[in-house]
Structures are given as C-alpha cells and as structure tokens.
Amino acid sequence: MPFENGLIDLRSDTVTVPTPEMRRAMALAEVGDDVYRDDPTVNRLEERAAALTGKAAALFVPSGTMGNLLALMVHCAGHRGVEVIVGDKSHIYLNEVGGLAALVGAQAAVVPNQPDGSLGLADVVAAIRDEDVHHPRTRLICLENTQNICGGVVVSPAAMAATRDLARRHGLKVHLDGARLFNAAVALGAPATELTQHVDSVMFCLSKGLGAPVGSMLCGDADLVAEARRYRKMVGGGMRQAGVIAAAGLIALEHMIERLDDDHVNARRLAAGLAGLPGLTLENPEPQTNMVYLQLDPARGITGPVVAEALRGDGILLDPGPYGFRLVTHCWITPTDVDKVIDGFHAVLGRKRKGQVCEG
Ligand SMILES: *Cc1c(COP(=O)(O)O)cnc(C)c1O
C-alpha cells in the first residue's frame, strides 16, 4: 500500500500511520475509564498480549520507553543503587534518556553486545557482583530482541535460554526489550512464546512495524503487572478512555503480525539492490528482519546528508548519519518503493541502473 502522503519513508517503522481498518476500529471502540479498569477494549488488548507472550498478565502503556521503565522499576523494587546488566548497544542503555539512573535509581553494568545481538555469557558472569560491603547488588539482566543496532538481528532462543539459566543460577531476573518481538518471532517462523518463555518480563511495541499509532505492552506474571500498574500511575501513564488507541492495537495483533515477513523480504530486496555500489558497504548484507544498515566510504566525499537530500527530491525520506544509514522497511513500503530507493542510491553513488530488475 502506498503511504497516504505519497512519500517513501524509510527513517523508521515508527512512521507507520494506522491502517483504514485501525481507524474504523478506533472510531467505534467501546471505552471506559481504564484507571478504573473499566475500558473493555484495553482489557481485551491486555488479555491478548498476555496470551501471545505466554504471560499471566499485561499492561497497556503509552510507549516502549515507559514499558521498559516500569519493568526496571518493578525488578529493582525501590532498591536504589542496584545494578542492571545491559548491552552496550541496547536501547535501554543508549536511548531512554538515562531513565535507569534518573528514575529507577539503578546503575547500568554494561557488557558488549555480540554481533548476534546476545550478551556473552562470560561477560555477564564477570559483570555479576559478589556480596561485598563495597559492591552494588546485581538485580536484573536486560536483553533486546530484535537487537536494533546489531542490524535488527534475531537473538536466538538458545542464547536467550542460556542467559535465563545463568540468571537463575545467580538469583537474577531477565527482562526483554522486545520492541520488535514479533519481527523476531516471524523471522524465526515460531510463536513469540519461543522467545518470551525465557524471560520474566517483556515489553513489545504496537506502534512500530505492527502499525498502531500509539502504545506498547508490558507482559509478565500477575504480581509484576500489578506493581507496574502502580508505577505507571506514578509516572503519569494512567490513561482514561484509552480504548480509542487500544482498538488499533487489537487490529495490530490480529492482522499485522504475519505480514511482517513482507517487510523482511523487502529489506533483503533492498540490500541485494544496493550490494556492490561503489563507496557503499552493507553492514548486514542479508538482513534478518526489517533493517538495512550501510556505510558510505568517506574517501568518496559523499556524505549521508548529501545522499538524503538527493533522494528527498524523489520523495524518499532517509535518516542520515554522517556517513551511514539505517533503512527500515514497514507496512507502507512496497517492492516498487524499494526499487525506487535502489535507483535513487544508484543515481547518486553509482553507475546508472534504470530499468534493471532487482530480485531478492
Ligand atoms: C523504539 C524502541 C523502544 C522504545 O519505544 P518508544 O515507544 O519509542 O518509547 C525500546 N527499545 C527498542 C529496541 C526500540 O527500538
């Protein structure tokens, strides 16, 4: 489907606008005051999210950042100064405004993300504190799946199980930042529970590849979600007739999960079409999900902003780094759009390829 504004927007999958079916469901949603638990649409969404992740309960939150924050608050349970093990390329560490420090009162114990998105078990073991009057206490390990900065890679169920086993041996909990959980599940060809069975809590976003306008879900056992509900109120995330937005989330879970495979196919098509362009290196030549990361050769003197500006003329929106891009496919990007983007890159960087057919 073409984007309603006619643009080809590869900046993120957060740019997805609601589908016509979502807009209809939003207009007709049955609602109530969700702080009183009176909103039947929110209640249904929470039940559905819990079922899909194999957890006892779920909580609808305005954003993924808030979902992660509430999970961190519950797992750290007011013990200020505790440590949370996070990947050095994780969203929680890099892109949540330091909420772990500022709002949870915990500090990050940072270990390197491996190229496959996992955390090395030896690194995690080394980061776990032993009991000593000088040491903070370790509480939690956070994983991210798909791992965004590692290339939208799928952290394997085996790696997650190994992390879970390690956590159990040390009395730690595991939280999953699953902003793109269903991209990972679809790429594996498995239900999401294949991944979420290994964690104590999981946040996933409705507002990214699933196309809903607003919202994320935090899922876990009943006690965790009950505590998270209190913290959600504390940070101002208690919403009233939230069924208006939850209605779109229900459509997202019903109709937008399986089609994520189309986005993955489009990402591979895009990578294949850009491969071999002079001065362009693909960081993930065979994308596992919906992201293509690439670098431009600084020696050629063509910067990211120059490329972005050139393609803007063709109605293509890109989010440039100084010499790199993350290109993200989503439900409003068609194979034809992908081919236009490939043509745009070839026009700026390479030999002309107009008319050439791209398969893959
Ligand atoms: C987008 C994202 C989040 C946070 O979601 P927001 O709704 O933008 O707050 C968390 N983790 C990852 C990996 C993300 O990509």
Side-chain angles (χ1 to χ4, degrees):
M1 209 167 3
F3 230 146
E4 56 192 14
N5 59 13
L7 296 173
I8 301 171
D9 193 342
L10 296 178
R11 290 173 301 168
S12 178
D13 47 11
T14 58
V15 302
T16 46
V17 297
T19 63
E21 188 186 8
M22 287 179 187
R23 290 187 191 272
R24 274 194 299 277
M26 293 170 76
L28 300 174
E30 210 185 329
V31 296
D33 186 334
D34 180 50
V35 174
Y36 289 117
R37 313 284 297 274
D38 275 354
D39 191 302
T41 308
V42 172
N43 293 344
R44 266 194 289 138
L45 176 62
E46 291 180 344
E47 281 165 25
R48 192 80 197 102
L52 282 169
T53 55
K55 300 299 177 196
L59 184 70
F60 185 41
V61 291
S63 70
T65 300
M66 190 186 287
N68 282 335
L69 173 67
L70 301 183
L72 294 166
M73 290 174 107
V74 175
H75 287 299
C76 295
H79 296 283
R80 298 178 66 81
V82 295
E83 264 187 0
V84 174
I85 296 175
V86 293
D88 66 340
K89 298 189 172 74
S90 67
H91 195 278
I92 287 177
Y93 179 56
L94 295 175
N95 294 318
E96 298 189 6
V97 208
L100 178 64
L103 304 173
V104 185
Q107 69 183 9
V110 185
V111 307
N113 279 104
Q114 301 301 306
D116 68 0
S118 68
L119 302 179
L121 293 183
D123 294 329
V124 174
V125 169
I128 297 172
R129 303 294 196 137
D130 48 14
E131 190 63 32
D132 182 301
V133 71
H134 301 89
H135 291 176
R137 285 185 173 138
T138 309
R139 299 282 298 200
L140 178 69
I141 303 172
C142 294
L143 296 173
E144 184 176 310
N145 205 359
T146 61
Q147 216 299 340
N148 178 353
I149 293 180
C150 292
V153 293
V154 180
V155 180
S156 72
M160 293 190 60
T163 305
R164 186 263 333 263
D165 289 345
L166 179 62
R168 291 291 178 268
R169 282 202 293 283
H170 289 85
L172 306 177
K173 302 284 183 168
V174 182
H175 171 68
L176 175 61
D177 175 349
R180 297 182 180 83
L181 172 69
F182 292 101
N183 292 86
V186 164
L188 283 170
T193 49
E194 199 73 20
L195 299 165
T196 55
Q197 63 175 323
H198 302 303
V199 300
D200 299 290
S201 55
V202 52
M203 181 284 291
F204 70 82
C205 292
L206 299 163
S207 58
K208 294 187 173 172
L210 298 181
V214 186
S216 296
M217 307 303 301
L218 175 62
C219 312
D221 68 25
D223 288 347
L224 180 136
V225 170
E227 280 301 291
R229 195 177 289 280
R230 290 178 57 79
Y231 284 122
R232 184 184 68 174
K233 198 78 184 78
M234 181 189 280
V235 299
M239 297 178 282
R240 302 299 180 181
Q241 286 72 35
V244 172
I245 49 177
L250 277 165
I251 304 288
L253 295 183
E254 188 82 15
H255 296 303
M256 302 295 280
I257 292 178
E258 274 162 36
R259 64 148 308 287
L260 289 171
D261 187 55
D262 297 347
D263 303 340
H264 303 172
V265 170
N266 279 335
R268 290 197 290 273
R269 181 186 187 95
L270 181 55
L274 296 175
L277 256 181
L280 182 153
T281 305
L282 292 168
E283 290 181 20
N284 58 336
E286 288 170 19
Q288 293 180 17
T289 61
N290 66 333
M291 296 178 181
V292 178
Y293 278 86
L294 60 87
Q295 284 295 324
L296 303 174
D297 179 2
R300 273 197 84 188
I302 303 177
T303 65
V306 165
V307 173
E309 186 54 34
L311 270 68
R312 183 74 182 77
D314 299 330
I316 297 165
L317 296 186
L318 306 174
D319 186 15
Y323 286 98
F325 290 96
R326 180 192 72 165
L327 312 177
V328 186
T329 57
H330 52 73
C331 57
W332 298 95
I333 299 296
T334 65
T336 310
D337 293 338
V338 168
D339 291 345
K340 284 187 192 155
V341 175
I342 295 166
D343 282 339
F345 269 90
H346 279 252
V348 182
L349 290 174
R351 313 164 290 263
K352 290 279 181 206
R353 68 175 285 286
K354 290 269 185 222
Q356 203 171 319
V357 180
C358 161
E359 295 298 341

